[in-house]
Amino acid sequence: MRKGASGPLLILFKDILMIEHNKRWILQWFLPVLIILTLFYLFPLLDAIRLSFTNARIGLANVKFSLSSYEAVLTDPDLPVVLRNTVIFVIFTVFCQLTLGLLVGLLLETHLKGMGLLKLAMITAWVVPGVIAGITWNLLYSSASWGVINNTLELFGAEKISFMTNPSWALVATIIANVWRGTGFSGIMQYGALRGIDPQLYEAASIDGAGSFRRFWGITLPMLKPMLMINLVLITISTVNTYDAIWALTKGGPGISTTVLSLQTYKSTFLRLNLGQGAVYAVLMILSSTIFTAIYLRMMKEENRG
Amino acid sequence: MDRHYSPTQKVFIYIFYVILLVFFLLPVVYIFAMSLKTEAEVLDKVHLFNFYPKRPTLENFGRVIKNVRMDMYLANSAKLVITTSIGVLLAAFPSAFALSRGNFKRKELVMMGVLFFQMISPIIISISIYWYYSKLHLLNTYSGLALIYIAIHLPFTTFLMKGVFDAIPRDLDEAAHIDGCSRFATLLKVIIPTAVPGIASATIFNSINAWSQFIIPFFLISDNKLYPVSVGILQAQGSYQDVSTHYLAAASVIGLFPAVLLVLFLQKFIIRALTAGAVKG
């Protein structure tokens, strides 16, 4: 991708329009995708960026171009908290999903008895709609009679944790629920990658006397690296965009302690009916996905050089 | 591949196994258990080892269907899932065919351009879609909703189907061409019938995603007669006072049951769609 994110887009349209005459059929066959993506993605995306430079509100008649929305968002005392929540939420979710996914992948790869059930359980968690995941974890975390986690803690003599009312615990609780739901994706991909590793590599290493730990660091991890990097980017983007599970679990609370950028975008646009400021938050969401991805790509490049 | 593990290794493996299995299974088993409880039983303190229902009842399901209208939300979701799965295939087939069989420069970049949209959250596009839909009177309409659903699932489906078509040998195209088939007839009569397993994979994958879709209907629909399950269930979360946990659990079970059924019976297709998507990212 040169020229950043807009590069492929420009080339996409230029290329499709300039296809040689005898290949015009290709253009026609692209029409459905081209029309739908332009109407529902490209146009709304550009329009969100345009709206961010206006004072648009739902119900406001004369919309003017101004930087007032950016000013309001950037000077909002909540913004540092929301950004901090987003960074913590994304980094810990992504790290845990990758690690647990790798662990599940390794377990499945042993082909010991019962591993099929683990795979099934992990995929089931992944297909549970986000809202239902949020509702379920909210019940699990409860301090009431049905709160299994707290009652089990008590059973072992530990103290109850107020997951939903203590700001720090609420963020931890949100991360755990999100890891539960998201690990299936990373687990299946890493299992697929693990299965693709040539068994002869392991055999050769064993003959050389390498223990299982050294085989893991020397063969498994390096072979998995490309898949881990793809996973890292995909999971990060989807975590920045996560909305439904958090909304059903905490509504962003207590206070704003679990409000991440995606929830703040919703609150501004649809609760405060401020399209301009909502659009600014949307732009911040795109920026954070881009920044995270750029950091990974930089890391990858540096490692390849070193 | 057959590897052998020493007893100590096996103990370690199974310790991790049990922890992870409980982590992944507990919430789903728990919500099923809660949905079968009576109101009195909900007030009994439960912990990890006793949360199963002692006197299971199906009454809660009847109650949430009648009071929260889960049946209506289910029907709405089913309608949306079916329209989306069919619509997205119709839109994706021609482009996937062109991407697979067409010969043009920078094909990779076109693919990346299509997949680029996959990165954009529905939250971002819904801001201005809300604005335009309100002017076009498409807010609170089923067709308006279905169109966005199709758009959301289109980039990945195009990508997936391109991969499926790529795996079909070109000899088949040539044979069809010699028989006098046009490109369109080749796609319709040769490629699509051969691609059925891949199409099934894409459809199951899209159905699960469309079933879970929350942001778009939550943002754009205010008429609760049009709510899909994912949004309607929030009504259940807010509509009961006092002890409502068993009802909320029953509504949740209704909402996740179709997805769990798909996993139980068609796991292979889901995994195939997932891994196909990952190979090229």
Side-chain angles (χ1 to χ4, degrees), chain A residues 86 89-94 97 178 232-243 246 260 262:
Chain A
T86 310
F89 177 70
V90 170
I91 289 180
F92 280 95
T93 302
V94 170
Q97 281 184 14
N178 207 47
L232 196 61
V233 175
L234 291 179
I235 297 174
T236 303
I237 291 166
S238 71
T239 309
V240 172
N241 295 340
T242 300
Y243 178 86
I246 309 180
V260 291
S262 62

Side-chain angles (χ1 to χ4, degrees), chain B residues 168-202:
Chain B
I168 297 171
R170 286 184 180 231
D171 302 352
L172 286 180
D173 299 40
E174 272 154 36
H177 184 70
I178 291 164
D179 286 349
C181 281
S182 65
R183 276 196 195 92
F184 186 70
T186 308
L187 173 64
L188 211 63
K189 289 183 189 153
V190 179
I191 304 290
I192 290 178
T194 321
V196 166
I199 295 171
S201 242

Side-chain angles (χ1 to χ4, degrees), chain A residues 12 15 23 25 29 33 41 44 47 113-114 119-120 131 145-146 151-152 154 180 185 189 241 248 266 275, chain B residues 14 17 23-24 30 42 45-46 48 95 97 103 106 117 121 128 131-132 214 219 237 245 267 274 278:
Chain A
L12 167 72
D15 265 8
K23 288 174 185 166
W25 71 275
W29 286 49
V33 165
Y41 270 108
D47 199 53
K113 232 180 168 167
K119 189 163 77 175
L120 189 71
V131 177
S145 59
W146 55 81
N151 292 339
T152 308
E154 244 185 5
W180 175 74
F185 181 77
M189 290 201 185
N241 295 340
Y266 167 76
L275 286 179
Chain B
Y14 277 106
Y17 173 81
F23 176 60
F24 287 120
Y30 167 80
V42 169
K45 220 172 182 181
V46 291
L48 199 50
S95 322
F97 184 73
N103 234 331
R106 296 208 179 108
F117 293 108
S121 162
S128 40
W131 184 252
Y132 290 105
F214 172 74
F219 290 5
Q237 200 184 21
T245 309
Q267 198 198 124
L274 260 176

Side-chain angles (χ1 to χ4, degrees), chain A residues 56 64 157 163 226:
Chain A
K64 280 188 305 225
F163 286 108

Side-chain angles (χ1 to χ4, degrees), chain B residues 65-79:
Chain B
I65 284 173
K66 224 176 95 200
N67 294 1
V68 197
R69 296 306 312 275
M70 283 303 286
D71 55 335
M72 187 174 76
Y73 302 143
L74 273 177
N76 290 342
S77 274
K79 237 162 68 176

Side-chain angles (χ1 to χ4, degrees), chain A:
Chain A
M1 258 196 245
R2 47 182 228 219
K3 290 189 231 158
S6 63
L9 277 183
L10 295 176
I11 296 166
L12 167 72
F13 287 105
K14 206 185 77 192
D15 265 8
I16 288 177
L17 292 175
M18 289 183 17
I19 286 169
E20 295 154 52
H21 192 71
N22 61 349
K23 288 174 185 166
R24 274 288 156 86
W25 71 275
I26 293 174
L27 177 62
Q28 287 165 16
W29 286 49
F30 267 118
L31 276 181
V33 165
L34 214 55
I35 292 171
I36 293 175
L37 291 187
T38 307
L39 281 180
F40 288 94
Y41 270 108
L42 189 60
F43 197 57
L45 175 67
L46 296 176
D47 199 53
I49 296 171
R50 182 188 68 89
L51 278 171
S52 75
F53 289 102
T54 68
N55 61 345
R57 293 175 135 271
I58 293 171
L60 182 78
N62 58 335
V63 174
K64 280 188 305 225
F65 279 94
S66 80
L67 288 172
S68 61
S69 295
Y70 277 96
E71 214 184 301
V73 168
L74 295 178
T75 56
D76 186 344
D78 286 354
L79 183 70
V81 184
V82 171
L83 289 179
R84 173 190 151 271
N85 293 343
T86 310
V87 170
I88 294 177
F89 177 70
V90 170
I91 289 180
F92 280 95
T93 302
V94 170
F95 177 77
C96 295
Q97 281 184 14
L98 276 183
T99 323
L100 279 190
L102 179 58
L103 191 58
V104 174
L106 288 171
L107 284 177
L108 294 181
E109 180 61 7
T110 62
H111 296 286
L112 288 171
K113 232 180 168 167
M115 294 304 165
L117 184 63
L118 180 62
K119 189 163 77 175
L120 189 71
M122 179 181 72
I123 300 175
T124 306
W126 181 71
V127 301
V128 169
V131 177
I132 295 174
I135 290 174
T136 305
W137 279 92
N138 185 287
L139 297 180
L140 284 167
Y141 286 132
S142 167
S143 310
S145 59
W146 55 81
V148 163
I149 297 177
N150 269 321
N151 292 339
T152 308
L153 284 176
E154 244 185 5
L155 190 73
F156 288 107
E159 261 182 49
K160 283 195 180 189
I161 298 170
S162 30
F163 286 108
M164 294 290 104
T165 48
N166 175 311
S168 315
W169 274 113
L171 195 55
V172 173
T174 310
I175 292 168
I176 294 175
N178 207 47
V179 168
W180 175 74
R181 205 181 148 226
T183 300
F185 181 77
S186 117
I188 290 302
M189 290 201 185
Q190 295 187 52
Y191 174 52
L194 280 170
R195 288 212 310 189
I197 299 175
D198 186 354
Q200 286 181 341
L201 285 175
Y202 289 113
E203 273 162 37
S206 294
I207 292 165
D208 290 347
S212 51
F213 194 69
R214 270 192 47 205
R215 283 204 301 264
F216 177 75
W217 284 106
I219 300 171
T220 314
L221 268 191
M223 296 295 285
L224 274 187
K225 221 170 109 201
M227 175 61 82
L228 282 171
M229 286 319 282
I230 292 170
N231 242 325
L232 196 61
V233 175
L234 291 179
I235 297 174
T236 303
I237 291 166
S238 71
T239 309
V240 172
N241 295 340
T242 300
Y243 178 86
D244 42 4
I246 309 180
W247 183 257
L249 181 63
T250 66
K251 300 268 188 302
I256 54 163
S257 57
T258 55
T259 300
V260 291
L261 273 174
S262 62
L263 267 78
Q264 191 70 350
T265 308
Y266 167 76
K267 285 181 182 173
S268 287
T269 315
F270 296 95
L271 295 183
R272 298 186 205 122
L273 303 179
N274 197 322
L275 286 179
Q277 290 184 21
V280 174
Y281 284 113
V283 170
L284 291 180
M285 278 176 74
I286 302 171
L287 275 180
S288 30
S289 294
T290 317
I291 290 171
F292 274 118
T293 311
I295 292 173
Y296 298 148
L297 291 177
R298 170 69 60 84
M299 274 166 30
M300 235 182 351
K301 246 190 212 158
E302 260 165 30
E303 203 146 308
N304 283 347
R305 221 178 286 144

